[in-house]
Amino acid sequence: MKKIQKSMSYTGALFTAGLLMFTHFISSGVAHGASPEAWLGLPVTYIENGYTFHPWPAQALRNVEIHTPDPIVIAKAWVSPDWAAWITGGKTNRVRIEADEIVARPSSLLRLGTFDGKSTHKITAVRFAKLKLLMGANAVVLPAGEMEFAEDGTLTHLRVTTEGGMRFDVTPHEGKLAVLVQLNNWKWDVLSALRFDNIVAQGDVNDDRLLLDKIGGTGDGGSVDGMVRLTVTDKFAVDGEIKLDKLDAAGVLTRLYAGHTVQGTLTANVKLAATADTLADLGKSVTTSGTYNLRSGSIDRFGLLEGLRRQDPGPAGGGLTKFVALDGGFSGGIGKPSAISIHHLDGGAMQGSGSFQIEQEGKLRGNVAASIKLPNGDRKSRALVLTGQVNSPTLMVP
């Protein structure tokens, strides 16, 4: 019983102390403030004003607007003194803000990174449950995060971490909002064939686009770098250029075509583009094109040698075609046939080239040219027809 009484006494003392501090906070003019109120030197208006515990004493505001050219809107905000500053100074105009949802354009957030004059409030931190970033005629919705502010009250960092572990750090820098993105063990629907062990990307964001022009990372045993740009108008559009260096080709191709027959080390330059009404639908409209190079690999059930040996028309049979190098180009899109070209297959004495399409459900259709250097120095060549499926290609002698 004595322990309970002591606990209740301690709780009551904290409550009383908090209430007294909050009373001083209000009477000092920081919460009520002069009219018009100013946060970070910017005019602020709100419709409702009350007092509550959240969980400590706080001023409760509704329909808050921070007046930049495009106002920053906060549906609900709880303003409390920065208690550390209060304890050391006796009173303070430094405050912390809890917000449910913040709606803002990037250019408005950039204004928080400048000091506009005398301020009723100097904010030390803002925690928010959701950030709706207005871009073009649309919005990119980010989850809970926090803003941090410098001694003069200007924004230094905006940090958000998504459920998938993607970390955004936005910083005002030289008149721009600089962006740093970090992530681990990530997959991206726009490039569904790739899995990233880790990615670090740098760039900037404005009112109609996010540019990540320095991307580096690892995945599938190799490295990834490039640039990606998201442009927002009444739709969402993404374009970019990605370089893949020394990836395991089997890991990449397995995500595209189950049971494929290609092995090797993959290097590629990929151009991508997609447009959609929503950010989530971008992966459904992506198109890609580029060049590739495979090293020290093989294609199973791709019997070029058998095709050269066969005398009569018909299936050439299977076999494993090994190569030192294979290079070519590609293009394709979600729900569309993929076009693949083989500019040069170098298998030592065996050489090859060709072009084909991968149609719906992995069906192959195209032509291959093969040649082999004979011991006497002559070269034997033949044109072959490629049919079958990606998991069981068939070469036909016409």
Side-chain angles (χ1 to χ4, degrees):
M1 180 64 73
K2 288 182 179 180
K3 288 183 178 180
I4 294 174
Q5 288 175 342
K6 286 182 179 180
S7 177
M8 291 178 65
S9 175
Y10 181 69
T11 303
L14 281 178
F15 182 85
T16 302
L19 190 60
L20 287 172
M21 292 174 74
F22 190 47
T23 302
H24 284 296
F25 175 58
I26 296 170
S27 62
S28 69
V30 176
H32 260 309
S35 183
E37 201 165 299
W39 299 1
L40 310 174
L42 294 167
V44 175
T45 59
Y46 45 82
I47 292 177
E48 294 184 20
N49 176 14
Y51 303 101
T52 185
F53 284 84
H54 189 77
W56 292 92
Q59 181 187 21
L61 306 177
R62 289 182 181 272
N63 298 332
V64 180
E65 288 192 6
I66 303 174
H67 290 278
T68 60
D70 285 300
I72 298 171
V73 178
I74 306 174
K76 295 179 183 178
W78 294 267
V79 182
S80 58
D82 187 315
W83 296 114
W86 178 278
I87 290 170
T88 57
K91 67 177 184 177
T92 183
N93 69 342
R94 298 186 180 277
V95 298
R96 300 179 66 87
I97 296 174
E98 299 278 343
D100 58 351
E101 179 185 83
I102 297 178
V103 181
R105 288 195 175 277
S107 60
S108 299
L109 295 176
L110 182 60
R111 284 296 302 277
L112 301 183
T114 62
F115 191 67
D116 281 10
K118 190 173 181 180
S119 181
T120 308
H121 291 61
K122 283 189 178 180
I123 300 172
T124 58
V126 175
R127 291 182 180 175
F128 52 85
K130 183 167 64 175
L131 173 62
K132 186 179 289 185
L133 200 60
L134 301 179
M135 298 179 68
N138 276 288
V140 175
V141 180
L142 298 174
E146 182 174 16
M147 300 181 195
E148 296 178 358
F149 295 81
E151 284 293 317
D152 64 1
T154 56
L155 178 68
T156 57
H157 291 279
L158 187 157
R159 294 189 175 95
V160 170
T161 301
T162 69
E163 289 185 2
M166 185 182 297
R167 299 180 296 279
F168 291 89
D169 192 335
V170 179
T171 306
H173 180 67
E174 296 182 351
K176 295 182 178 181
L177 280 182
V179 177
L180 174 67
V181 181
Q182 297 173 287
L183 48 96
N184 297 311
N185 300 319
W186 187 63
K187 60 181 181 179
W188 187 25
D189 290 341
V190 174
L191 285 178
S192 59
L194 301 181
R195 294 293 183 272
F196 304 99
D197 298 329
N198 62 77
I199 288 286
V200 176
Q202 294 178 307
D204 61 79
V205 61
N206 61 32
D207 286 354
D208 56 19
R209 66 115 179 94
L210 167 66
L211 174 64
L212 299 175
D213 57 354
K214 296 178 182 178
I215 300 175
T218 60
D220 287 305
S223 63
V224 181
D225 62 69
M227 63 78 62
V228 171
R229 175 173 43 231
L230 172 68
T231 305
V232 187
T233 54
D234 58 333
K235 293 181 179 292
F236 292 86
V238 66
D239 67 283
E241 297 181 8
I242 305 295
K243 181 179 180 180
L244 314 177
D245 188 34
K246 298 178 181 177
L247 274 63
D248 174 30
V252 175
L253 294 174
T254 295
R255 301 183 193 107
L256 291 175
Y257 308 109
H260 70 90
T261 60
V262 178
Q263 304 285 333
T265 300
L266 172 66
T267 296
N269 292 295
V270 184
K271 292 184 178 182
L272 65 98
T275 303
D277 291 330
T278 68
L279 189 61
D281 286 339
L282 278 175
K284 300 176 182 178
S285 64
V286 65
T287 60
T288 59
S289 62
T291 59
Y292 69 89
N293 180 281
L294 286 164
R295 285 283 188 269
S296 304
S298 63
I299 309 175
D300 198 9
R301 297 186 287 280
F302 191 75
L304 290 182
L305 183 58
E306 297 300 318
L308 288 167
R309 286 175 176 170
R310 185 179 177 92
Q311 299 299 317
D312 301 321
L320 181 71
T321 296
K322 294 185 177 181
F323 55 82
V324 177
L326 189 159
D327 61 75
F330 64 90
S331 63
I334 301 298
K336 300 177 182 179
S338 296
I340 313 293
S341 63
I342 301 173
H343 297 159
H344 185 211
L345 183 152
D346 181 4
M350 177 77 67
Q351 304 289 306
S353 62
S355 62
F356 59 93
Q357 287 191 331
I358 304 176
E359 299 178 340
Q360 296 298 318
E361 300 179 354
K363 183 178 180 181
L364 299 174
R365 182 171 60 85
N367 298 280
V368 175
S371 68
I372 189 169
K373 186 176 181 181
L374 301 175
N376 63 5
D378 293 341
R379 182 167 288 278
K380 182 177 182 180
S381 302
R382 174 165 285 167
L384 304 169
V385 176
L386 177 63
T387 63
Q389 304 287 129
V390 289
N391 59 357
S392 57
T394 301
L395 287 172
M396 302 285 294
V397 177

